[in-house]
Amino acid sequence: MDPSLFSRDDGILFLGEGNFSFSLKFKQQHADKLRCVIATCFEDKDKILEGAKENVQLLKESGVSVLYGIDAKQLTSYNQLVAEDDLTPNCIIFNFPHIGGKMKINRNRELLRDFFSSAREFLAGACARLPQTSRPRIIVNLCKGQGGTPADGDNQRDWGNSWQINEMAAISGFILSQVLPFNHKLCSGYESVGFRSREQWFHTTEAIVHVFEPAAPILLVSRINEKETSVQLSTRYGDIVCDRTHLDLCSAFTEIETKYFLSSNLKISPQVDLYNKLVDLMKNSARLGENLMVVHTNYLPFNCDLDLKRVPCSVGSTAKFMRRSLADVMEFCKKENFITYGPIFKPLDELSFGESPAPYQILVKHTDIERVTGLITLWLSSLVDETRLEVEMDDDQWTVQFSGQDLAYKCHKNAVIVELDLLAMIYFQAENFRDLLFSKRLNSTFSPVSLFPRTFDLDICFVIGEAFSEKRFNVLLWRLLGKFLIGKELVNKYSPEDEDWTSHCYRLQYRSSLEALSKRAAIVLHQEFLPEALLNSKLAQKVM
């Protein structure tokens, strides 16, 4: 098992050991690097496999606690697992779990489902007694193809023919945070036995290590009102009242309760990482870096004259607008040569659910704009697939497109803009802007908090109400389900003859990059949460 997964603060609980050769090898490999190790098997002591007895003796001699008759589905039933704080585990390893005898795939799913449910309750109680550095997690090793996730690569099975491990985990609030190949070199001496409850080995070649962590609970609120959709923030321009949705989905801001716009340098994000790379490149350029100023502009300039539809806000009783482009910043920053980055704000009423309401841009203003555009062109070519870049450059225009999307362009004769969110998604291979927002830094790259989250397509049909419009419906969906909804499609409309009503049927796509969104939870959002909001807002007369 990869040593990087563990630390001295960890207490390990092994479940379902066959001949105890894995836990023995693990203990020998990690020696005194762990707080404690507990090895268990499902069988009673007098029914363990013959080859296990010697390994059990060696484990006991090395200080490992060995327990028999431990059911992974009922962990909270065993007081001996948490007898003393120093011996309380915070990490559970379930090595090639399976039901005994001839297998049925649905029963293996049930085993995983019930195990995760039991483990959630067990870890919640155990970790409440431990230091915060002892973070709870679960490691499940599966044979190739069993998990049903893209981690299996060429061995990935159809979803219905797999153990659906990320779904079984999500039901109890766990997300898949890391996957690794099962390294046999690190497990030399391990003999995988117990196949069909016999001393018969598993096919562990190309097996996958799945690491799960408990996720934040999905918070549901029964209804929304105008007060709940707005938030007041203190900025250099005064107290601004704006839509909460933009803050919920913008990584530049700290928790809303702080009521301040702060630089996202406090937490390095994928966007900031790329921005810093460009700043370093320009500063090290002999002709560009001498007079270049780095300006932080996360504060909101508003009331600009650009002919763009923008997000309304208010300052006191005065209606104003938040910026739609970093070109607005040039009215506030009078410096000749500077580089900055920050979020811009898009209206929710026509915004697709695959776009961020608050994406990031980089703005570079410089008197030597030709040299700037040349440097940025080379920089972009080094970051993304150059064959998919199209560069248009002449005296008045400079545009860099990636697969038909504007990645960088002149916004003024002496200034250019780089679409930072788009660049980060391409460079870090993110599927969705939410994967950038909810990401963790791993060495020189970033990874989504939740790996391979599932997407659920659910239909909703309703008779439209007196307040209905497509734009209002879009805003409602953003405010209620912005973190979960990645797609919306109008499937059909129906208006019966001689009757004065019309129904709409929409197909909504649910997915979460942060929470453990199971199919069951998605159905709750869709069937209980959304209909009530539609009726309360009078966008629907009746939900079918």
Side-chain angles (χ1 to χ4, degrees):
M1 188 73 71
D2 191 333
S4 67
L5 293 174
F6 308 101
S7 73
R8 292 183 183 275
D9 294 318
D10 284 328
I12 309 299
L13 170 62
F14 284 96
L15 296 176
E17 286 289 275
N19 61 7
F20 290 90
S21 62
F22 187 84
S23 50
L24 177 61
K25 177 61 184 177
F26 182 89
K27 176 60 177 176
Q28 292 171 343
Q29 178 188 5
H30 292 275
D32 298 325
K33 296 179 180 178
L34 299 165
R35 183 166 44 79
C36 70
V37 176
I38 303 173
T40 75
C41 67
F42 177 68
E43 293 78 16
D44 293 330
K45 185 175 182 178
D46 59 349
K47 294 182 180 179
I48 63 173
L49 298 172
E50 187 63 30
K53 296 179 181 178
E54 181 180 351
N55 293 332
V56 168
Q57 184 60 34
L58 291 172
L59 281 168
K60 290 182 176 180
E61 290 175 358
S62 67
V64 173
S65 176
V66 178
L67 301 174
Y68 307 95
I70 302 297
D71 187 346
K73 299 184 293 184
Q74 302 180 44
L75 295 178
T76 55
S77 302
Y78 307 104
N79 293 331
Q80 59 267 47
L81 292 178
V82 288
E84 301 177 30
D85 286 357
D86 289 344
L87 300 178
T88 298
N90 63 288
C91 176
I92 299 174
I93 298 178
F94 205 168
N95 210 30
F96 302 106
H98 64 285
I99 61 169
K102 190 174 182 179
M103 297 186 192
K104 291 185 178 179
I105 199 166
N106 64 307
R107 292 187 60 196
N108 283 309
R109 290 179 195 149
E110 291 172 2
L111 169 63
L112 289 175
R113 181 198 65 199
D114 294 344
F115 157 64
F116 279 109
S117 176
S118 172
R120 179 81 188 206
E121 185 178 356
F122 174 81
L123 289 174
C127 292
R129 305 164 55 185
L130 296 172
Q132 290 185 351
T133 50
S134 300
R135 58 188 181 90
R137 59 197 186 282
I138 292 173
I139 298 174
V140 180
N141 301 326
L142 292 180
C143 298
K144 65 178 182 181
Q146 287 180 338
T149 74
D152 287 311
D154 295 338
N155 299 314
Q156 185 178 0
R157 302 178 188 173
D158 292 337
W159 179 250
N161 190 35
S162 74
W163 292 17
Q164 303 177 359
I165 187 169
N166 51 348
E167 173 70 11
M168 298 303 105
I171 291 172
S172 295
F174 287 95
I175 56 173
L176 181 61
S177 63
Q178 193 174 358
V179 290
L180 299 165
F182 186 82
N183 193 332
H184 284 269
K185 292 181 180 179
L186 295 175
C187 301
S188 177
Y190 164 56
E191 299 172 350
S192 57
V193 298
F195 180 66
R196 294 193 175 179
S197 303
R198 300 193 294 268
E199 293 212 36
Q200 185 175 345
W201 60 283
F202 289 95
H203 296 280
T204 58
T205 304
E206 298 183 77
I208 299 293
V209 179
H210 303 79
V211 183
F212 294 89
E213 297 183 8
I218 296 176
L219 301 177
L220 304 181
V221 292
S222 59
R223 58 180 56 84
I224 63 168
N225 56 46
E226 286 304 315
K227 183 177 180 181
E228 290 172 335
T229 61
S230 299
V231 61
Q232 179 172 299
L233 298 153
S234 297
T235 79
R236 66 194 299 181
Y237 300 103
D239 290 340
I240 295 177
V241 177
C242 57
D243 197 298
R244 181 184 293 267
T245 306
H246 290 87
L247 275 77
D248 287 343
L249 295 168
C250 180
S251 59
F253 309 128
T254 58
E255 293 296 324
I256 292 174
E257 288 73 17
T258 65
K259 297 185 178 180
Y260 281 91
F261 282 85
L262 296 174
S263 168
S264 58
N265 281 322
L266 297 175
K267 177 185 176 183
I268 293 295
S269 66
Q271 297 96 320
V272 173
D273 183 71
L274 289 173
Y275 167 68
N276 288 339
K277 284 180 169 61
L278 181 57
V279 169
D280 291 341
L281 182 64
M282 296 195 68
K283 280 188 171 182
N284 291 327
S285 173
R287 297 196 181 182
L288 299 178
E290 295 178 1
N291 301 314
L292 186 71
M293 297 290 295
V294 178
V295 181
H296 296 289
T297 62
N298 276 343
Y299 301 106
L300 297 179
F302 38 66
N303 268 16
C304 299
D305 296 327
L306 290 180
D307 186 20
L308 292 169
K309 185 177 181 181
R310 286 169 288 155
V311 174
C313 65
S314 63
V315 180
S317 59
T318 306
K320 295 182 180 293
F321 295 92
M322 296 196 290
R323 67 189 183 210
R324 180 71 186 266
S325 168
L326 277 196
D328 293 6
V329 170
M330 290 191 293
E331 296 188 24
F332 291 82
C333 185
K334 304 302 182 183
K335 300 183 184 301
E336 198 70 29
N337 302 318
F338 73 90
I339 181 171
T340 189
Y341 84 104
I344 62 173
F345 302 89
K346 296 185 176 182
L348 302 177
D349 54 1
E350 297 177 352
L351 188 67
S352 79
F353 293 90
E355 298 179 76
S356 171
Y360 277 74
Q361 291 180 340
I362 296 174
L363 174 71
V364 183
K365 183 182 177 185
H366 205 282
T367 50
D368 193 351
I369 198 63
E370 290 186 9
R371 190 172 295 275
V372 168
T373 55
L375 183 65
I376 293 179
T377 302
L378 291 174
W379 180 63
L380 294 175
S381 299
S382 71
L383 296 177
V384 305
D385 183 357
E386 189 174 2
T387 63
R388 298 173 66 182
L389 288 179
E390 296 181 11
V391 182
E392 294 184 11
M393 185 180 295
D394 56 40
D395 293 339
D396 299 320
Q397 181 178 355
W398 172 79
T399 305
V400 181
Q401 289 192 327
F402 181 88
S403 297
Q405 300 180 34
D406 286 347
L407 187 57
Y409 47 88
K410 277 188 181 180
C411 64
H412 183 270
K413 65 179 181 179
N414 288 330
V416 300
I417 281 178
V418 178
E419 296 291 349
L420 189 51
D421 266 34
L422 175 58
L423 177 60
M425 287 183 63
I426 298 167
Y427 182 71
F428 293 108
Q429 300 181 343
E431 293 185 21
N432 190 279
F433 78 88
R434 296 165 182 84
D435 293 341
L436 296 176
L437 177 59
F438 306 118
S439 63
K440 55 188 177 183
R441 192 170 191 177
L442 299 174
N443 299 322
S444 60
T445 189
F446 290 83
S447 174
V449 170
S450 176
L451 299 180
F452 315 126
R454 294 190 64 208
T455 299
F456 306 100
D457 292 354
L458 300 173
D459 291 351
I460 186 166
C461 300
F462 56 90
V463 177
I464 64 174
E466 60 186 47
F468 180 83
S469 72
E470 198 68 39
K471 292 183 176 181
R472 288 178 178 174
F473 183 45
N474 222 53
V475 172
L476 179 76
L477 290 176
W478 268 113
R479 287 175 172 171
L480 266 67
L481 303 169
K483 288 196 296 184
F484 304 105
L485 203 58
I486 64 170
K488 179 193 77 170
E489 177 188 2
L490 178 61
V491 178
N492 63 53
K493 297 181 181 180
Y494 174 67
S495 297
E497 293 184 9
D498 303 325
E499 294 191 41
D500 188 22
W501 59 270
T502 300
S503 68
H504 287 188
C505 183
Y506 291 88
R507 181 157 298 150
L508 305 181
Q509 286 188 312
Y510 293 84
R511 178 182 179 270
S512 178
S513 302
L514 181 65
E515 288 91 347
L517 185 67
S518 65
K519 186 173 184 179
R520 181 187 304 172
I523 289 173
V524 170
L525 287 170
H526 188 78
Q527 294 185 351
E528 298 181 19
F529 187 34
L530 179 56
E532 182 180 1
L534 284 169
L535 294 170
N536 289 339
S537 62
K538 297 184 179 181
L539 296 183
Q541 297 180 38
K542 176 182 178 183
V543 179
M544 301 173 181

